[in-house]
Amino acid sequence: MKLIKKQKVSASITDSRANLSVIGIFQTVEDAVTELMGELKADNITMKKVDNAIWVFTKNRIKILKNIAWNEDFYTICFISSITRATVNVDIAIKSKSEELCAYARVELCALDLQTERIKRISAIGIVDRIIPEKPEMDIAFTRFDRGELPEYGQVQVKYTGIDFSRHTNNIEYIRFILNTYSVRELEARPVKEMEITYTNQSFEDDVLTIRKGSLEGKDVFMLQKEDKVVVGSEIVFENDKMRQGI
């Protein structure tokens, strides 16, 4: 099954150059995944009632290929590309109105049992019986980036607007925390080409998170920690390196 949505780049999801922003892409991806699961009768509201479980994003990687400007039409195509015993991979293609591929994402989902707080087998949910995985439109793979010992950048506190239906910090909020370590000038000079985020543990309202940030082999890498526990890891690949060269 494929979920196909026609959308428009609204002002709320644009960046400083009036293009679909990195945050806007992640929001579009999250919305597409949740709507697809809703079509499959396996959304979090249904899962919580029927299975006492919720889906959690464990990994998400996007590749940005071309900008889409404010007020332009675009299409989102979302489908399940693979299933394992414990994970579901969902692919999301974002295309221009002329059907040119502009961004591509892959999200890894796990089902979390709310009673035990352990990962459930996908077969226990029954979603396997309702879907046939589709062929990916693009090669995209999760990486095992080495975070090493990263210097502390600062701290942030999770507040009400960062909390979702599952009562933990929304996936997008972490991306906002990470991107806010840059200035407008930096990200206009070095646009994000790829970004991956891995969700290791949950955080909740009023938690204080320490952001650690460094560079490794031309990429910026991050860890967000709650005390000594890693909550999120991330890496960003940039389109060019002008800022680092002082251009």
Side-chain angles (χ1 to χ4, degrees), residues 192-203:
V192 174
K193 182 179 179 183
E194 297 184 41
M195 183 171 179
E196 180 171 332
I197 185 160
T198 60
Y199 303 95
T200 307
N201 289 290
Q202 299 180 77
S203 67

Side-chain angles (χ1 to χ4, degrees), residues 59-90:
K59 297 177 184 177
N60 190 355
R61 188 173 188 92
I62 64 166
K63 290 187 177 184
I64 302 172
L65 308 171
K66 185 179 179 181
N67 288 325
I68 310 176
W70 168 76
N71 215 32
E72 284 190 3
D73 292 326
F74 68 96
Y75 294 88
T76 304
I77 300 134
C78 180
F79 55 92
I80 292 174
S81 58
S82 64
I83 302 174
T84 70
R85 292 174 63 185
T87 64
V88 173
N89 277 349
V90 184

Side-chain angles (χ1 to χ4, degrees), residues 30-71:
E30 182 177 280
D31 288 343
V33 172
T34 54
E35 288 181 39
L36 175 67
M37 302 312 281
E39 292 290 326
L40 292 167
K41 310 298 183 190
D43 56 274
N44 271 0
I45 293 175
T46 303
M47 288 260 292
K48 192 172 183 179
K49 291 177 181 176
V50 176
D51 299 297
N52 197 34
I54 57 170
W55 292 110
V56 290
F57 284 28
T58 48
K59 297 177 184 177
N60 190 355
R61 188 173 188 92
I62 64 166
K63 290 187 177 184
I64 302 172
L65 308 171
K66 185 179 179 181
N67 288 325
I68 310 176
W70 168 76
N71 215 32

Side-chain angles (χ1 to χ4, degrees), residues 22 26 62 64 179 182 187 190-195 236-239:
V22 178
F26 274 104
I62 64 166
I64 302 172
L179 292 179
Y182 299 96
L187 290 182
R190 293 192 299 147
V192 174
K193 182 179 179 183
E194 297 184 41
M195 183 171 179
I236 298 178
V237 180
F238 296 96
E239 189 174 305

